[in-house]
C-alpha cells in the first residue's frame, strides 16, 4: 500500500537529519521551528519528528527543533525563542502546549503558530494561531476491521466461541480523543465480527509503562481475547506478547517486540500537514484555522500487517478504505450503534472549549456523527458511551 | 637487617588551613579537568568538536538576552528551594520533601486562582494566594516534623512519602479542574482575565529573581546571625547538648520545618502564580531533590548556593541547546553534569588533605 | 636502670595536625613487666603518642621499635599483630552490640559465640573481672564499658597494654579493682602504659613515670624516687603550689531547699529516695557517693532536667521570696541563675557542640541574652572564650577552632570555664575536674572558690574524697539514692566519708 | 471480580526490582554509606544488561541464541555496570571522603542520564518504528517460569510463575539477612556502619568493608534494573520507564528497618499496593485513581509512624550512616 513507502522515506529522512536544512531550494526562505514534548525516544514525538524532518527536507526549508519542552512556561519561552530566531512558523506537538502557544501567538502576530491536537483555535480568533488533527478514527476503524477479522479467525479455529469475542482496550484518559478512538476501533471490529464486545480501562496517563502493562494484564485476566490501546508505552503490547494475546497497537509497528501477536497499527502521518503549512506561508496563503488530515491526504496511515493478522485482512481494509474515501462509509454511522439502547438522532457536542464542558454544537448530520470536520474543530469531540462497550471498574 | 616491614608509600594528612586562593585554584583545576574529560567523552560518543559543544552549552544558557533572563529565573527558583531546604539540613533533618512542599504551595495558589477568580478582586486573590501557598507548604513541611518531634519518626522516609502524596493530590485536582473534559490538563489559568497572576516587575522574570535575592540574604542572616539560626545549629549537632542548655528540640524542629516548608510553598507560588500560571504534577521538575544537592554542595552557605545552583541550571539549560543543535539526546547533559559534579566533590579532598609521599626511601635501601 | 628487656622504643616521633604539633621528636622506652605512667598537661600529646602505637595515627617522622624490631604500624590491625592493645580515652565500643560481640569484634574465623563466651569467662576469672556477656553496651555503666574494653584487649592476647585515662570516670573503688587487675597483668610479664592525671594513682600503681610537655619528652624516672610536687613542676615547667584554699563562708543564707525529693527512672528504679537538704549562699556543699547513687539525678532534678516523682525544691531569693522550681522548665530555672555544669562521661555528648568553635560554644548558655530578641550577640562570647582560654590555659590554636579538635582535658576546660563564668546564683557542678591535669584542676577549684566568695551557692559533686574534704564546707553523702548524712568538711576525713558512702551496701 | 491468585503474581513482579534495590541499599547502608545513587545504579544496571544483550542478539542470527549466553552476557554486563557505579561512589566517598549525599544525588543524575542516553542511542541503532529496543528473545530466557507453573493451577501461578531473577532476589535477600545476623562478616559490617572508629580500633579494615559492601550492594541493585527490563518489561527498553522505583527501594530500606528478610514480604506488599489502584473501581472518574495511587505511600507513612512510636534502639539506622570516616579525624 502507499503508506509503506512514506514510512520508509520518513525513516531515511530522520537518519540524515541535520539541524538546519542545508540544501535550500531557491524559492523558499521559510523557516520552521518545532516544539516537541519529549525527544525521538518517545513514540508520540518520534512520529512528529519524522514527519517534520521529512516535510522540511522535501520543501527544502530551514528548521529548528526544540525537544523535551514541558507543558508549561517553557513552551512559551521556546516558542518565543524560535520566533526570535526568525522562524516564520512555530509548531508544537502536545496538547498541553496550546495555551502557551496562544500566549506566544499574541506576542508575535507576524509569525504563524500551529498546534497539533489543540481545540482552541476556532474560538480564540487569532489569525496566526491554528489547530490541526487527523481523522485518526478512520484509521482506528480500519485497524478495528483487522481486529474483527482476527476474532473471526479465532472463532473459526475453535480457539474461542462467539460469545467470547471480547476486546480489551487500554486507554489513557477519558478524553474525547480516546473515546472517539476506541469507539471507532470497536465499530470497525463489530462491522466484521458482530458478536464483538469491548472492555475499556483507563490509565490516567499518556505514558505509563507499568499502568498500561498491568491494565492489559487485567483485561486479559478478565477474558479479553484481543487487545488494543491508546497510550504511548510498550506496556500493553508486551503484556499481550507474553500472554499470547493478539494486539492492535498504536503509533507504529510493534512487530519487533511482539512478533507473535502484532496485528496492525494505525498512526497519523504529520508530513502532509507540515508540507501544507510550509507551502501556505511560502506562497502567502492563509493557513486553515482547523486543519484535518484524512486517509486521502495521507495523514492517516496503517503499518504493514503483522504475522498475527488474519487472512483476508488486507482486502477487507482496502475495501473499507475505498468506501470511506468515496464517502459511502461513515465511521460513526448512527445506524451502526446505539446509546442506551437508542439510536442517536441529535447530539450536542462540547466543541468549544470551556471549563463547564457546555455542549454547544449539533454534530449529527446526514445520519452520522460528524467527527472532527474542519467545519467545527480539528480535534475529536466524540464522547458518547455506546452500547457494547463497557468501562471497567465502574462499580463502586 | 631484620625482615623488612612494608612501609606505606604515602599517607594522608590533614592540611593546615589552606588559603582561599589555593582552594580556588584546586577547584578551578578540578572543573577544567572535568571539562577536559567531558570533551573527550563527547568526542568519542559523537565525533563532534567538543569546543563547539561547549560553546553551544554556553549559548544555551546565555546566548540571547531572553535566554539569560530565563536562566536567571530558573536559578532563582532552584535557589529558593535550596535555601528552603537548608535550615532543615543544618538541623540534620533530612527534608527530601521539598518536591511535595513546593507542589502543595503551588496547589494552594492554583486553588485560589481557579476558585476565586470571579468572586474576589485580583489584589485580594493574590494576597490570598501568597498566604495560602506559604501556609500549605508550611503544613506539608511540618507534618513530618511533628512525627519526628513526637515519635522520632524517620524523616527521610516520611518526607519522601509526603512528596508522593502531594503529587497525587495535585494529580487529583488536575483532573477535577481539567479543561476540556478528560484531557488531564488544566491549561493556563485565567488566561484572559489574568486574575491571580503575580504582577510583572520590570519584566516577567525579575520577580522571582528579586524574591530569590531577598530569601538568600534573609536566609544568610537567619542562619548566621539569629538566635533561631544558632539553635538550629545546636540541635543539628547535638540534641543532648541542646536539651542541656534548655533548647526545646521539638520546638526547633517544628519551627524550622515550618520555615522550610513555607519557603518551598513560596517557590510553589512563584512557579504557579508567577511563571507557569498552571499546575501540573511535574511543575517542580525534581528541584526538590536537585535542591538537596545544591545545598550540600554549597555546604549550606547561601552565597555559595548562588553558584552551585547556577552551575546546575547552566548545565541543564546548555543541555537542551545541545540536543537542539547536535541531535544528541538530552540525557547526554546529565552525564556531563554528573561528571563535572564528581570532579567538584572529589576535589574537596585535596583542599582538606594532602598526600605525603614518603621521601626517606633512601633509609630503606641503606 | 635495671637490665630489663625493652618492649617499646620510640625514637624521634613527630606528629602534627595541620598547624598543631602534637608530638615533636619524642623518645620513650617501655620495659617488659612494668607499669609506666605517662604524664603531661592537657594537650601535651599523650593520647596522640599512644595512638601512634595503637595504629590510629601515623607518625610524620620517627621510628617505632617493638620487641627489638622496627615496626610500621599503619592500622590498629598492625598494632594487634604486634601485641599492642589500647583502651581509648573515648571508648571504642559499638553501642548496640553486647559485650561478647564487642570483645570478639575484628577477629577472624568462624563466629562461635558460645566458645567466645567461655574464653571471656576464663579471662575474667583469671584477672578478677565481672562481665555480663549478653548485656548491651548502651545499658552499661562506664566501668562496665571499661571492663569490656580491657577484656577486649586481653582476649587478643596483647602483651603491651595502653590505658588512656582509665580512671577518669571510675569511682575510687572501681579504680582499686582495676589496679589489682593491672598488677596481675604486670606479674604476667605484660607491659602497661597508663595515662592519668591523678598523681596519687601514679604513685600507687606505676613503676616509672614519663613526662611530656607541649608535645616534647621531658624526663622519665622511677616513681619511688619522685613526688607529686616534682612531677607537677615537671609537667608545667615551673613551680606551682598544690594547696586548695577554703575561705570561711560569709553570711550563709539558705538559697535552695530540697525536701523529700524522690526520683524514679523509666524502668521504675528509685534513683533518689526522700532526699532533703539546704544549700546556702557563699558555701560549697559537697556531694559524695559511689557513682550511680543519685548524684547526677539530684543535680538534674534541680536543673529541671529530671522528672520528679515527689518532693519540693524551693529557691529562696535574696529578699526572702521563695519560688518552687519543680514544674519550671530548664530554661526558666536557668534564668533564675541556677547553672548546671555537668561534665558527662562523654564530654562532647552534652554541654558542648563538637563542630562549633570555642566562641560559639560559649554562646550556648548566653545566646538568649543580648539586646535584640532576634539576633545573637557575638562579641561577648568571643571575649569570654578568650578569657577562658587565658585563665585555664586551654591549648588551642585559636578561639575559632572547633572544640572537637581539642584534647580531652581542654574540651573540658572549655565546658567548665563557660559554666562557672556565667555568674550563677547557684552553681551545680559534677565531676568538674574529670580528666583535667593537676594544675588545671587547681585552677578550677580556684574558680569555684571565687564563685563561693561572690555569694553563690555551690553544689559540688566529686569523686576524689581528698578534694571534697579539702574544698567543701559541708558534705552530703548519698548512698543508693538516700542521704546517709551531712557532715562538716572541716571536721571529717575521707575514711568517715567512705564508710558513709557504703553504709547501705553493707547493711 | 478481584482475584487474589491473579493479583499476587502481579504484586511479586512489581516487588522484585524493589526487593533487589532495597537489599542492595541495605547492605550498603549497613557499612555507613548512604547511597542515594541507587536510582542511578539501577538504571545503569539495566542499560548495561541491555547493551550486552543487544550486541549479542545482533551478532547472532535470530532464533539461534545460546540460552546460557543469552542470560550470562546481560547478567555479567549488568553486574559490571553497577559494580563500576559502586566503585565510583566508594572512590569518591571512602577514598576522597566526599559528601555522601551530593555524591549519591550526582550519581542518580548521572546514572539515569547514562541509561537514557545509551538507551536512546541504541534505539536509534535499532531503528524500530516505535522508539524502544526490544530484546524479546533474550527476555524469553529471563522470564521463563519454572516447570509445572502452568500445570499446577493457583499454586503454580502464585509460586512458580516467575523468571529466575525473582527467585535469585529472594535468595540474595535471605543470604544477606543470614550473613548480617549470623556471621562474623556481618558482625563486622554492622560494626563499621555503627561506629567506624570503634570498628577500626578493633582491627577491622573499614575501607575494605565499605568498598565491598557498597559495590556488592550496587551490583544487587543493578540486578533489580536488569529484572525490570528483561523480565517485567519483556526485554523492551524505553527511556525513563523504570521510573522512580530506585527511590522507593531506598524508602523500603527504612521501612524494613534494615533487614533484608523483612524486605521480601515488604517489597511484595509494596509492589502490590503500587498497582492496587488499577484494581480499584473508578470508571470514568480517573481522578479517583489519582487518589488511590496514594495508598502505598499513606500505608508506608502510617506503618512508619506506628513503628516509630515504639522506638527501639535496634531499629535505628546505622549510627554512622551518611558520614565518612577518616582515622585521624577527631
Ligand atoms: N594512617 C596512615 N598513615 C600513613 N599511611 C597509611 C595510613 N593508613 C594507611 N596507610 C597506607 O596508605 C596506603 C593507602 O591507605 P589505605 O588506608 O587505603 O590502605 P590500608 O592501609 O590497606 O587500609 P586500612 O588502613 O583501612 O587497613 C596504604 O599503602 C597504607 O599502607
Ligand atoms: N585528630 C586531631 N586533629 C587535630 N588536632 C588534634 C588531633 N588530635 C590531637 N590534636 C591536637 O593535638 C594536641 C595533643 O592532643 P592529645 O589528645 O594528644 O593531648 P593529651 O595529652 O592526650 O591531652 P588530655 O590530657 O587533655 O587528653 C592537642 O592540641 C590537640 O588539640
Ligand atoms: Mg463548550
Ligand atoms: Mg588525652
Amino acid at each position: 500500500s502507499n503508506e509503506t513507502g512514506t514510512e520508509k522515506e520518513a525513516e531515511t529522512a530522520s537518519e540524515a537529519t541535520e539541524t538546519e536544512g542545508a540544501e535550500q531550494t531557491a524559492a523558499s526562505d521559510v523557516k520552521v521551528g518545532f516544539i516537541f514534548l519529549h525527544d525521538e525516544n518517545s513514540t508520540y514525538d518520534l512520529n512528529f519528528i519524522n514527519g517534520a524532518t521529512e516535510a522540511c527536507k522535501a520543501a527544502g526549508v530551514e528548521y529548528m527543533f526544540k525537544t523535551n519542552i514541558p507543558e508549561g512556561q517553557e513552551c512559551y519561552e521556546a516558542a518565543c525563542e524560535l520566533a526570535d530566531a526568525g522562524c516564520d512558523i512555530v509548531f508544537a506537538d502536545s496538547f498541553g502546549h496550546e495555551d502557551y502557544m496562544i500566549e506566544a501567538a499574541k506576542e508575535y502576530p507576524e509569525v504563524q503558530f500551529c498546534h497539533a491536537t489543540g481545540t482552541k483555535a476556532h474560538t480564540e480568533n487569532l489569525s496566526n494561531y491554528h489547530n490541526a488533527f487527523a481523522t485518526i478514527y478512520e484509521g482506528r476503524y480500519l485497524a478495528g476491521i483487522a481486529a474483527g477479522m482476527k476474532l473471526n479467525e479465532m472463532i473459526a479455529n475453535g480457539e474461542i466461541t462467539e460469545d467470547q469475542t471480547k476486546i480489551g482496550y487500554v486507554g489513557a484518559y477519558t478524553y474525547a480523543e480516546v473515546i472517539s478512538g476506541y469507539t471507532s476501533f470497536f465499530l470497525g471490529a463489530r462491522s466484521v465480527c458482530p458478536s464483538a464486545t469491548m472492555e475499556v480501562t483507563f490509565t490516567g496517563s499518556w505514558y505509563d509503562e507499568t499502568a498500561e502493562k498491568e491494565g492489559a494484564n487485567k483485561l486479559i485476566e478478565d477474558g479479553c481475547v484481543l487487545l488494543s490501546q491508546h497510550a504511548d508505552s510498550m506496556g500493553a503490547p508486551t503484556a499481550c506478547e507474553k500472554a499470547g494475546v493478539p494486539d492492535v497497537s498504536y503509533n507504529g509497528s510493534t512487530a519487533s517486540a511482539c512478533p507473535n501477536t502484532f496485528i496492525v497499527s494505525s498512526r497519523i502521518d504529520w508530513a502532509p500537514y507540515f508540507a501544507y503549512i510550509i507551502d501556505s506561508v511560502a506562497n502567502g496563503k492563509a493557513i486553515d484555522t482547523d486543519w484535518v488530515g484524512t486517509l486521502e491526504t495521507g495523514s492517516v496511515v496503517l503499518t504493514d500487517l503483522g504475522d498475527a493478522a488474519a487472512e483476508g485482512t488486507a482486502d477487507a481494509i482496502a475495501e473499507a478504505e475505498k468506501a470511506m474515501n468515496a464517502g459511502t462509509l461513515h465511521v460513526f454511522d448512527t445506524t451502526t450503534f446505539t446509546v442506551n439502547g437508542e439510536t442517536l438522532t441529535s447530539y450536542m457536542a462540547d466543541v468549544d472549549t470551556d471549563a463547564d464542558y457546555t455542549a454547544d454544537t449539533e454534530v449529527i448530520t446526514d445520519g452520522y456523527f460528524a467527527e472532527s470536520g474542519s467545519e467545527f474543530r480539528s480535534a475529536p469531540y466524540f464522547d458518547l458511551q455506546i452500547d457494547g462497550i463497557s468501562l471497567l471498574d465502574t462499580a463502586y | 637487617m631484620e625482615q623488612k616491614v612494608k612501609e606505606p608509600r604515602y599517607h594522608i594528612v590533614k592540611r593546615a588551613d589552606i588559603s582561599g586562593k589555593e582552594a580556588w585554584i584546586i577547584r578551578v583545576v578540578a572543573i577544567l579537568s572535568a571539562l577536559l574529560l567531558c570533551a573527550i567523552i563527547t568526542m568519542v560518543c559523537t565525533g563532534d568538536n567538543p569546543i563547539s559543544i561547549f560553546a553551544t552549552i554556553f549559548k544555551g544558557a546565555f546566548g540571547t538576552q531572553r535566554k539569560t533572563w530565563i536562566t536567571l529565573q530558573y536559578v532563582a527558583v532552584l535557589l529558593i528551594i535550596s535555601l528552603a531546604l537548608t535550615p532543615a539540613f543544618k538541623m540534620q533533618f533530612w527534608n527530601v520533601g521539598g518536591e511535595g512542599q513546593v507542589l502543595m504551595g503551588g496547589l494552594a495558589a492554583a486553588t485560589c486562582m481557579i476558585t476565586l477568580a470571579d468572586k474576589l478582586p485580583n489584589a485580594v486573590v493574590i494576597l490570598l494566594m501568597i498566604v495560602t501557598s506559604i501556609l500549605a507548604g508550611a503544613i506539608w513541611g511540618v507534618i513530618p516534623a511533628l512525627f519526628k518531634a513526637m515519635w522520632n519518626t524517620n524523616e527521610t522516609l516520611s518526607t519522601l512519602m509526603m512528596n508522593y502524596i502531594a503529587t497525587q493530590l495535585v494529580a487529583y485536582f488536575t483532573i477535577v479542574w481539567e479543561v476540556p473534559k478528560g484531557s488531564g490538563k488544566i491549561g493556563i489559568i485565567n488566561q484572559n482575565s489574568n486574575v491571580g497572576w503575580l504582577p510583572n516587575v520590570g519584566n516577567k522574570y525579575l520577580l522571582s529573581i528579586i524574591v530569590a535575592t531577598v530569601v538568600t540574604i534573609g536566609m544568610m542572616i537567619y542562619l548566621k546571625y539569629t538566635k533561631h539560626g544558632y539553635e538550629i545549629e545546636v540541635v543539628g549537632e547535638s540534641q543532648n547538648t541542646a536539651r542541656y542548655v534548655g533548647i526545646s528540640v521539638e520546638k526547633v524542629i517544628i519551627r524550622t520545618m515550618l520555615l522550610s516548608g513555607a519557603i518551598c510553598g513560596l517557590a510553589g507560588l512563584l512557579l504557579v502564580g508567577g511563571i507557569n500560571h498552571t499546575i501540573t504534577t511535574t511543575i517542580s521538575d525534581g528541584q526538590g531533590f536537585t535542591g538537596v544537592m545544591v545545598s550540600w554542595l554549597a555546604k549550606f552557605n547561601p552565597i555559595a548556593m548562588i553558584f552551585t545552583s547556577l552551575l546546575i541550571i547552566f548545565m541543564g539549560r546548555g543541555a537542551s541547546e545541545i540536543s537542539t543543535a547536535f541531535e544528541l539526546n538530552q540525557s547526554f547533559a546529565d552525564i556531563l553534569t554528573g561528571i563535572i559534579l564528581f570532579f567538584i566533590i572529589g576535589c574537596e579532598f585535596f583542599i582538606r588533605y594532602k598526600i605525603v609521599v614518603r621521601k626517606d626511601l633512601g633509609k630503606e635501601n641503606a | 636502670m635495671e637490665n630489663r628487656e625493652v618492649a617499646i622504643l620510640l625514637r624521634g616521633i613527630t606528629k602534627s595536625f595541620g598547624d598543631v604539633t602534637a608530638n615533636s621528636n619524642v623518645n620513650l622506652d617501655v620495659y617488659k613487666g612494668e607499669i609506666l605512667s605517662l604524664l603531661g598537661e592537657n594537650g601535651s600529646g599523650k593520647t596522640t603518642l599512644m595512638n601512634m602505637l595503637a595504629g590510629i595515627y601515623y607518625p610524620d617522622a620517627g621510628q617505632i621499635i617493638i620487641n627489638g624490631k622496627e615496626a610500621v604500624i599503619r592500622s590498629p590491625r598492625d598494632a594487634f599483630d604486634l601485641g599492642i592493645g589500647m583502651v581509648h580515652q573515648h571508648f571504642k565500643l559499638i553501642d548496640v552490640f553486647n559485650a561478647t560481640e564487642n570483645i570478639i569484634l575484628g577477629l577472624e574465623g568462624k563466629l562461635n559465640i558460645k566458645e567466645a563466651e567461655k574464653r571471656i569467662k576464663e579471662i575474667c576469672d583469671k584477672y578478677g573481672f565481672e562481665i555480663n556477656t549478653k548485656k548491651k553496651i548502651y545499658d552499661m555503666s562506664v566501668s562496665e564499658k571499661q571492663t569490656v574494653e580491657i577484656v577486649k584487649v586481653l582476649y587478643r592476647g596483647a602483651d603491651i597494654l595502653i590505658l588512656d585515662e582509665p580512671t577518669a570516670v571510675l569511682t575510687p573503688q572501681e579504680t582499686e579493682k582495676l589496679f589489682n587487675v593491672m598488677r596481675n597483668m604486670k606479674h604476667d610479664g605484660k607491659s602497661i602504659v597508663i595515662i592519668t592525671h591523678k598523681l596519687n594513682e601514679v604513685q600507687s600503681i606505676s613503676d616509672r613515670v614519663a613526662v611530656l610537655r607541649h608535645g616534647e619528652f621531658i624526663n622519665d624516672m622511677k616513681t619511688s624516687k619522685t613526688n607529686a610536687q616534682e612531677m607537677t613542676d615537671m609537667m608545667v615547667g615551673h613551680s606551682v603550689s598544690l594547696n586548695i584554699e577554703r575561705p570561711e563562708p560569709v553570711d550563709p543564707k539558705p538559697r535552695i531547699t530540697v525536701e523529700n525529693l524522690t526520683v524514679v527512672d523509666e524502668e521504675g528504679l528509685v534513683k533518689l529516695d526522700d532526699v532533703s537538704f539546704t544549700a546556702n549562699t557563699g558555701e560549697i556543699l559537697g556531694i559524695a557517693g559511689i557513682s550511680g547513687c543519685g548524684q547526677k539525678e539530684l543535680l538534674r532534678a534541680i536543673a529541671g532536667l529530671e522528672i520528679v516523682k515527689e518532693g519540693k525544691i524551693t529557691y529562696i531569693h535574696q529578699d526572702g521570696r521563695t519560688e518552687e522550681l519543680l514544674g519550671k522548665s530548664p530554661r526558666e530555672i536557668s534564668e533564675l541563675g541556677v547553672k548546671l555544669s555537668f561534665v558527662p562521661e562523654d564530654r562532647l555528648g552534652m554541654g558542648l557542640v563538637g563542630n562549633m568553635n570555642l566562641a560559639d560554644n560559649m554562646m550556648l548558655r548566653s545566646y538568649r541574652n543580648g539586646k535584640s530578641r532576634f539576633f545573637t550577640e557575638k562579641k561577648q562570647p568571643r571575649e569570654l572564650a578568650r578569657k577562658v582560654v587565658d585563665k585555664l590555659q586551654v591549648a588551642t590554636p585559636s578561639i575559632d577552632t572547633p572544640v572537637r579538635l581539642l584534647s580531652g582535658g581542654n574540651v573540658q576546660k572549655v565546658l567548665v570555664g563557660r559554666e562557672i563564668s556565667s555568674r550563677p546564683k547557684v552553681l551545680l557542678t559534677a565531676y568538674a575536674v574529670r580528666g583535667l591535669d593537676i594544675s588545671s584542676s587547681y585552677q578550677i577549684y580556684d574558680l569555684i572558690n571565687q564563685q563561693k566568695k561572690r555569694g553563690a551557692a555551690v553544689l559540688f559533686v566529686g569523686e576524689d574524697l581528698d578534694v571534697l574534704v579539702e574544698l567543701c564546707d559541708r558534705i552530703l553523702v548519698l548512698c543508693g539514692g538516700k542521704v546517709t548524712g551531712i557532715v562538716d568538711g572541716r571536721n571529717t576525713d575521707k575514711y568517715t566519708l567512705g564508710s558513709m558512702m557504703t553504709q547501705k551496701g553493707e547493711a | 471480580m478481584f482475584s487474589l491468585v491473579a493479583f499476587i503474581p502481579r504484586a511479586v513482579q512489581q516487588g522484585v526490582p524493589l526487593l533487589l534495590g532495597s537489599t542492595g541499599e541495605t547492605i550498603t547502608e549497613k557499612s555507613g554509606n548512604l547511597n542515594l545513587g541507587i536510582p542511578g545504579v539501577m538504571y545503569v544496571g539495566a542499560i548495561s544488561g541491555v547493551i550486552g544483550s543487544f550486541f549479542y542478539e545482533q551478532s547472532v542470527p535470530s532464533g539461534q541464541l545460546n540460552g546460557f549466553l543469552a542470560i550470562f552476557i546481560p547478567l555479567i554486563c549488568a553486574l559490571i555496570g553497577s559494580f563500576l557505579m559502586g566503585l565510583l561512589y566508594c572512590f569518591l566517598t571512602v577514598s576522597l571522603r566526599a559528601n555522601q549525599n551530593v555524591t549519591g544525588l550526582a550519581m542518580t543524575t548521572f546514572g539515569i542520564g547514562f541509561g537514557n542516553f545509551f538507551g536512546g542511542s541504541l534505539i536509534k541503532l535499532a531503528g524500530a518504528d516505535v522508539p524502544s529496543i526490544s530484546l524479546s528473545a533474550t527476555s524469553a530466557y529471563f522470564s521463563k517460569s519454572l516447570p509445572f507453573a502452568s500445570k499446577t493451577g493457583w499454586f503454580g501461578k502464585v509460586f512458580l510463575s516467575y523468571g529466575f531473577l525473582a527467585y535469585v532476589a529472594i535468595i540474595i535477600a535471605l543470604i544477606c539477612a543470614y550473613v548480617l545476623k549470623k556471621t562474623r562478616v556481618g558482625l563486622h559490617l554492622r560494626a563499621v556502619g555503627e561506629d567506624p572508629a570503634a570498628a577500626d580500633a578493633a582491627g577491622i579494615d573499614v575501607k575494605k568493608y565499605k568498598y565491598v559492601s557498597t559495590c556488592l550492594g550496587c551490583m544487587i541493585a543493578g540486578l533489580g534494573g536488569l529484572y525490570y527490563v528483561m523480565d517485567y518489561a519483556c526485554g523492551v527498553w524505553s527511556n525513563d520507564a523504570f521510573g522512580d522505583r530506585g527511590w522507593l527501594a531506598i524508602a523500603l530500606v527504612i521501612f524494613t528497618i534494615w533487614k533484608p528478610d523483612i524486605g521480601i514480604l515488604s517489597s511484595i506488599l509494596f509492589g502490590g499496593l503500587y498497582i492496587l489502584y488499577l484494581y480499584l473501581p473508578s470508571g470514568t472518574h480517573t481522578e479517583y485513581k489519582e487518589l488511590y495511587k496514594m495508598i502505598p505511600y499513606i500505608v508506608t507513612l502510617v506503618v512508619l509512624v506506628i513503628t516509630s512510636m515504639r522506638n527501639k534502639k535496634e531499629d535505628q539506622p546505622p549510627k554512622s550512616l551518611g558520614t565518612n570516616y577518616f582515622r585521624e579525624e577527631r
Side-chain angles (χ1 to χ4, degrees), chain C residues 340-355:
Chain C
L340 171 66
S341 140
F342 182 85
V343 176
E345 286 134 13
D346 168 11
R347 293 169 180 121
L348 285 175
M350 205 168 107
L352 290 177
V353 177
N355 276 329

Side-chain angles (χ1 to χ4, degrees), chain B residues 95-337:
Chain B
N95 182 11
V96 288
E99 200 77 4
Q101 291 147 23
V102 172
L103 274 177
M104 289 311 284
L107 182 61
T111 309
C112 293
M113 289 166 78
I114 292 171
T115 57
L116 304 175
D118 37 13
K119 300 193 179 71
L120 293 171
N122 188 21
V124 180
V125 173
I126 290 181
L127 204 70
L128 279 173
M129 281 164 65
I130 296 173
V131 173
T132 54
S133 58
I134 288 179
L135 209 64
I139 290 172
W140 220 245
V142 87
I143 293 173
L146 286 170
F147 291 153
K148 177 83 178 179
M150 286 193 280
W151 301 297
N152 195 27
T153 307
N154 185 305
E155 74 278 9
T156 317
L157 188 50
S158 60
T159 48
L160 192 65
M161 292 301 116
M162 295 294 285
N163 283 346
Y164 290 112
I165 295 171
T167 306
Q168 290 318 128
L169 268 180
V170 171
Y172 171 78
F173 282 106
T174 312
I175 297 184
V176 169
W177 292 323
E178 68 192 352
V179 185
K181 194 179 165 118
S183 64
K185 299 270 150 52
I186 295 177
I188 294 183
I189 304 168
N190 306 335
Q191 188 162 15
N192 297 320
S193 65
N194 291 7
V195 172
W197 291 28
L198 299 183
N200 279 352
V201 270
N203 65 35
K204 56 179 164 288
Y205 310 101
L206 214 51
L207 179 68
S208 316
I209 298 170
I210 291 171
V211 174
T213 314
V214 172
V215 175
T216 309
I217 295 171
M219 188 55 76
M220 195 183 69
I221 293 172
Y222 183 75
L223 290 177
K224 212 165 162 201
Y225 297 108
T226 69
K227 299 182 174 179
H228 285 187
Y230 184 75
E231 287 179 344
I232 287 172
E233 205 172 330
V234 176
V235 169
E237 295 286 347
S238 162
Q239 298 205 355
N240 274 337
T241 303
R243 293 213 171 82
Y244 169 84
V245 297
I247 296 172
S248 160
V249 173
E250 291 73 23
K251 198 176 108 190
V252 174
I253 289 178
I254 290 167
R255 185 182 67 203
T256 307
M257 277 309 291
L258 274 172
L259 177 73
S260 191
I263 300 177
C264 280
L266 181 70
L269 170 73
L270 287 175
L271 281 171
V272 170
I275 299 171
N276 290 289
H277 306 124
T278 188
I279 177 119
T280 63
T281 53
T282 52
I283 200 158
S284 72
D285 195 25
Q287 292 186 89
F289 293 101
T290 316
V292 177
M293 195 151 64
V294 169
S295 178
W296 277 89
L297 206 54
K299 303 205 186 97
F300 309 141
N301 177 339
I303 302 296
M305 265 175 239
I306 299 175
F307 296 101
T308 50
S309 52
L310 178 66
L311 175 83
I312 285 176
I313 294 292
F314 171 77
M315 285 306 297
R317 296 270 300 152
S320 62
E321 194 70 12
I322 293 194
S323 61
T324 306
F326 293 87
E327 285 258 316
L328 273 176
N329 86 48
Q330 186 138 0
S331 308
F332 191 68
D334 291 339
I335 298 184
L336 298 190
T337 309

Side-chain angles (χ1 to χ4, degrees), chain A residues 40-43 46 174 202 207 209-211 213-214 217-218 221 238 242 252-253 256-257 391 393-396, chain D residues 6 10 14 120 123-124 129-131 134 136 228 231-234 236 238-239 245 277-278 281-285 289:
Chain A
E40 70 275 13
N41 290 314
S42 137
T43 325
L46 180 67
T174 53
F202 296 100
Y207 185 103
E209 189 166 273
T210 307
K213 192 177 203 92
E214 297 307 333
N217 277 326
K218 201 174 52 160
E221 185 66 29
T238 51
K242 204 164 180 176
S253 171
S256 66
L391 307 182
D393 306 326
T394 31
Y396 290 96
Chain D
R10 308 314 311 155
Q14 287 302 320
I123 288 169
K124 270 191 198 154
D129 216 7
V130 178
S134 42
S136 20
Y228 180 84
D231 188 335
Y232 182 75
C234 304
V236 173
S238 322
N239 280 0
R245 285 177 172 78
Y277 73 95
L278 290 163
S282 63
T284 48
H285 283 273
K289 271 203 165 64

Side-chain angles (χ1 to χ4, degrees), chain A residues 106-121:
Chain A
K106 287 177 190 160
E107 199 167 318
Y108 292 88
E110 72 289 355
V111 176
Q112 300 302 315
F113 289 83
C114 301
H115 179 248
T117 74
T119 60
K120 292 187 176 169

Side-chain angles (χ1 to χ4, degrees), chain A residues 67-137:
Chain A
T67 51
N68 290 303
I69 305 298
E71 297 167 323
Q73 190 64 9
E74 289 93 336
C75 172
Y76 163 79
E77 307 288 5
C80 293
E81 277 184 25
L82 288 170
D84 287 342
C87 291
D88 306 286
I89 308 172
V90 175
F91 173 86
D93 74 341
S94 182
F95 179 77
H97 286 150
E98 177 160 40
D99 289 346
Y100 299 92
M101 289 290 281
I102 293 173
E103 289 293 289
K106 287 177 190 160
E107 199 167 318
Y108 292 88
E110 72 289 355
V111 176
Q112 300 302 315
F113 289 83
C114 301
H115 179 248
T117 74
T119 60
K120 292 187 176 169
H122 71 290
T123 47
E124 212 47 52
N125 291 324
L126 286 169
S127 61
N128 64 332
Y129 179 72
H130 322 279
N131 283 150
F133 214 108
T135 55
I136 184 64
Y137 60 91

